Amino acid sequence: MQASVTVTPDQLPELLLHVAVVRPVFLWGAPGIGKSSLVRTFADSLGLECVTLLGTQLAPEDLIGVPQIVDGRSRFAPPELIARAQPYCLFLDELNAASPEVQKSFYSLILDRRIGTYELPAGSVVIGAGNRATDNALARPMASALVNRMVHLHLRADVDDWLKWAAVNDIHPWVIRYLTQRPDHLWSAPPKTEAPFSTPRGWHMLSDALHSRGDDIDDTTLQVLATGTLTLGHASGFRAFVKTVRHAFDLDAVFKGEAAWPRDPVDRDLLYFLAETMRARLVKELPGDREHTSASVRRFVLRAKSLLVELAEISVECAQLVIAADADGVPVLPSWFLIEVSRDLPRLAARR
């Protein structure tokens, strides 16, 4: 299931507060963006215990329970994990990855808040979550009867929300500084092959590994850890960033004239990282309309074009990377800036 209307992690708690307390909610989102932790945090905020059931690990009888004879009649005894006396948050994780039979077993629990003769205590909330089929994750179609029993919210990764969370949750400073410079690297679409890819969860795992290994980590070990948790291109960029940290060398220093582009062939990964960082900065700081540029922006543009000339002397490929269109051939930099580059830097324009 896809949606054009999405919510960020910061927006989710208030939505759940007003919706999940009256209706079951299903939370859609890509793997690794924090769905489970957000639900647990929400339950904690209400003072409710969060009871998690994994759809992929359940059979129908795990929900319905087993029959027992009471006064000569049979009835099903629901499992102890569900049949609680106090209100709680029932989190049905990976619900849409469960078999159709298990999904059917959830119908009455989700809509009527009961299994057999057991009813969820007043004040309990029911939240489901799952990945989308487009995420190359295990996901089965949900019957329309089940879909119609829940309010559907679509969660997206948001770098500002994640960085705010990271600042108070002991995320390694290198990770925070890198994603501050490259917010577009927080998340990448799952690949079609079995390979690591960047997610908030992946960056968290890398942070834990860095804390454990220490800041004296060698580049070989850093490469192993980064490529084991992130998209390959992001891992390469992070390694180059760590190199800038260790040598007190960054794009700000280049713009200020305090440092030059690295020319040593062994630093080519660093050069690519700085070129990508410059591209991201231009995307962020250049206005869409040339007429509305301030004096400070005009100075910034002049400096950027000067640096592009210097970069092209070292590597035309890296300079071209700064002004290149996206994967679909759509320009990412303002047209007026690209026109100026074509006019003032014909060497680059000829290769665009």
Side-chain angles (χ1 to χ4, degrees), residues 220-345:
T220 299
T221 304
L222 180 62
Q223 180 182 23
V224 170
L225 296 178
T227 56
T229 52
L230 308 174
T231 299
L232 190 59
H234 297 177
S236 177
F238 183 74
R239 288 175 57 214
F241 166 77
V242 171
K243 188 180 292 187
T244 71
V245 171
R246 287 175 166 167
H247 294 86
F249 186 97
D250 59 20
L251 188 63
D252 283 333
V254 176
F255 262 95
K256 294 175 182 177
E258 298 171 355
W261 295 114
R263 294 177 176 270
D264 194 320
V266 300
D267 290 329
R268 189 49 56 95
D269 60 340
L270 175 57
L271 190 65
Y272 271 94
F273 168 74
L274 292 172
E276 288 185 338
T277 305
M278 182 178 180
R279 173 185 172 88
R281 179 170 296 187
L282 291 175
V283 170
K284 179 180 179 181
E285 298 190 11
L286 292 181
D289 189 344
R290 180 72 168 84
E291 295 180 359
H292 294 91
T293 56
S294 63
S296 61
V297 170
R298 288 193 291 272
R299 290 193 296 270
F300 173 75
V301 169
L302 289 173
R303 180 57 178 158
K305 289 193 291 186
S306 175
L307 289 176
L308 275 172
V309 172
E310 296 175 10
L311 182 58
E313 292 175 354
I314 304 170
S315 170
V316 174
E317 182 182 2
C318 286
Q320 182 61 40
L321 176 63
V322 176
I323 63 172
D326 64 16
D328 297 322
V330 179
V332 297
L333 297 178
S335 58
W336 64 264
F337 179 78
L338 294 175
I339 290 172
E340 290 192 13
V341 169
S342 299
R343 182 192 65 209
D344 301 337
L345 306 174

Side-chain angles (χ1 to χ4, degrees), residues 10 37-38 41 159-171 176 200 204:
D10 260 10
S37 60
L38 285 167
T41 300
V159 71
D160 292 331
D161 287 1
W162 193 84
L163 288 172
K164 187 189 308 181
W165 171 87
V168 294
N169 281 275
D170 198 33
I171 297 300
I176 292 177
H204 196 173

Side-chain angles (χ1 to χ4, degrees), residues 1-7 26-31 33 96 130-137 139 142 147 152-156 187 189-190 192:
M1 181 181 288
Q2 296 286 351
S4 57
V5 179
T6 59
V7 298
F26 192 89
L27 188 59
W28 295 89
I33 64 173
N96 62 327
N131 302 318
R132 305 159 300 191
T134 52
D135 296 318
N136 293 319
M142 284 197 293
V147 171
H152 297 265
L153 301 177
H154 296 258
L155 184 70
R156 72 176 186 269
W187 180 85
K192 297 186 182 300

Side-chain angles (χ1 to χ4, degrees), residues 22-261:
V22 293
R23 289 289 183 178
V25 170
F26 192 89
L27 188 59
W28 295 89
I33 64 173
K35 299 184 295 295
S36 301
S37 60
L38 285 167
V39 171
R40 288 192 291 267
T41 300
F42 171 71
D44 288 342
S45 72
L46 297 181
L48 299 177
E49 182 179 0
C50 186
V51 176
T52 301
L53 299 180
L54 289 175
T56 52
Q57 299 179 8
L58 294 175
E61 55 270 22
D62 294 328
L63 297 172
I64 299 172
V66 295
Q68 60 180 196
I69 304 300
V70 178
D71 297 330
R73 297 181 179 181
S74 66
R75 71 177 184 183
F76 284 90
E80 183 180 19
L81 187 64
I82 296 176
R84 295 167 177 254
Q86 299 300 319
Y88 66 98
C89 173
L90 179 58
F91 180 38
L92 309 176
D93 202 4
E94 300 179 0
L95 173 58
N96 62 327
S99 67
E101 292 74 18
V102 171
Q103 290 187 22
K104 289 178 183 177
S105 302
F106 280 116
Y107 281 19
S108 62
L109 183 61
I110 291 173
L111 182 62
D112 301 322
R113 300 168 62 86
R114 70 164 61 239
I115 293 181
T117 59
Y118 170 76
E119 289 189 40
L120 291 177
S124 297
V125 297
V126 179
I127 301 175
N131 302 318
R132 305 159 300 191
T134 52
D135 296 318
N136 293 319
L138 177 60
R140 293 185 171 94
M142 284 197 293
S144 58
L146 183 57
V147 171
N148 194 237
R149 281 166 161 78
M150 296 176 287
V151 177
H152 297 265
L153 301 177
H154 296 258
L155 184 70
R156 72 176 186 269
D158 183 90
V159 71
D160 292 331
D161 287 1
W162 193 84
L163 288 172
K164 187 189 308 181
W165 171 87
V168 294
N169 281 275
D170 198 33
I171 297 300
H172 196 284
W174 290 351
V175 171
I176 292 177
R177 289 177 58 187
Y178 180 76
L179 290 175
T180 300
Q181 294 188 35
R182 296 307 310 268
D184 53 317
H185 284 191
L186 174 66
W187 180 85
S188 61
K192 297 186 182 300
T193 57
E194 296 176 346
F197 59 100
S198 300
T199 64
R201 179 195 295 152
W203 285 106
H204 196 173
M205 290 191 295
L206 177 59
S207 170
D208 288 345
L210 291 172
H211 277 309
S212 178
R213 180 58 181 79
D215 289 354
D216 61 343
I217 184 173
D218 61 274
D219 185 64
T220 299
T221 304
L222 180 62
Q223 180 182 23
V224 170
L225 296 178
T227 56
T229 52
L230 308 174
T231 299
L232 190 59
H234 297 177
S236 177
F238 183 74
R239 288 175 57 214
F241 166 77
V242 171
K243 188 180 292 187
T244 71
V245 171
R246 287 175 166 167
H247 294 86
F249 186 97
D250 59 20
L251 188 63
D252 283 333
V254 176
F255 262 95
K256 294 175 182 177
E258 298 171 355
W261 295 114

